[in-house]
Amino acid sequence: LVNDVLNANPAIAAAREAMKHAYAPYSRFRVGAALRTRAGRVFTGCNVENAAFGLAFCAERGAISAAVVAGEREFEEIAIVSSSPMPTPPCGACRQVLAEFAADLEIVMAGEKETVRTSLARLLPAAFRAGNLAGGTVPDYSGVSSARRTRRKK
């Protein structure tokens, strides 16, 4: 029942459609993403591979780029689907880019066999933020269970 409810999610359907357009001739690992804004608009992206492997572009970042080009900056949910039977989480680089816009983003990962719902805060509890830049505020690492803060003596 849970999978039926989540698979009825329009963002998952949009991500599945985007995945059909993925360009993955090398890995054959196709990914589609659909990013829903606070205004209810949905922007999609798919992975685009390149023979120079480091230049591949992830579906999640494609969706973010499309949304930003359209003037959107506030996001509520991203749905990610892939050609894998199991749910696929966003890679580390995509997590960091998503955190730039929505640290509390809902993430729905739909595989062929199950769907998982989580949050970006759970997947990336200590994202690099503007506060990490010189002159910024000290980030809050309280959500990171293994974090231990020590102060240097002057």
Side-chain angles (χ1 to χ4, degrees):
L1 180 62
V2 171
N3 279 342
D4 291 339
V5 170
L6 288 175
N7 284 326
N9 181 328
I12 292 174
R16 285 193 202 286
E17 186 62 31
M19 183 180 70
K20 294 177 185 176
H21 302 286
Y23 179 72
Y26 308 106
S27 72
R28 306 275 190 256
F29 185 69
R30 304 167 71 80
V31 182
L35 184 64
R36 185 170 46 82
T37 69
R38 291 212 195 287
R41 298 173 71 190
V42 175
F43 294 89
T44 60
C46 63
N47 60 318
V48 178
E49 294 182 349
N50 189 283
F53 292 127
L55 300 179
F57 198 75
C58 297
E60 298 90 333
R61 284 182 277 158
I64 291 167
S65 294
V68 169
V69 165
E72 295 286 351
R73 302 286 192 281
E74 297 180 346
F75 308 117
E76 290 189 343
E77 176 187 59
I78 188 164
I80 304 163
V81 299
S82 74
S83 55
S84 170
M86 301 306 295
T88 301
C91 73
C94 287
R95 292 176 196 194
Q96 182 61 50
V97 173
L98 289 165
E100 180 72 17
F101 297 97
D104 60 345
L105 186 70
E106 292 261 343
I107 298 178
V108 181
M109 302 168 285
E112 294 172 8
K113 298 183 179 194
E114 69 176 317
T115 301
V116 174
R117 181 178 287 273
T118 189
S119 69
L120 184 58
R122 286 190 65 131
L123 294 180
L124 188 65
F128 186 87
R129 314 284 265 139
N132 292 105
L133 298 173
T137 59
V138 177
D140 176 16
Y141 294 112
S142 61
V144 181
S145 61
S146 62
R148 189 177 73 192
R149 186 172 289 196
T150 57
R151 301 272 181 189
R152 291 190 188 101
K153 294 180 182 177
K154 293 184 179 186

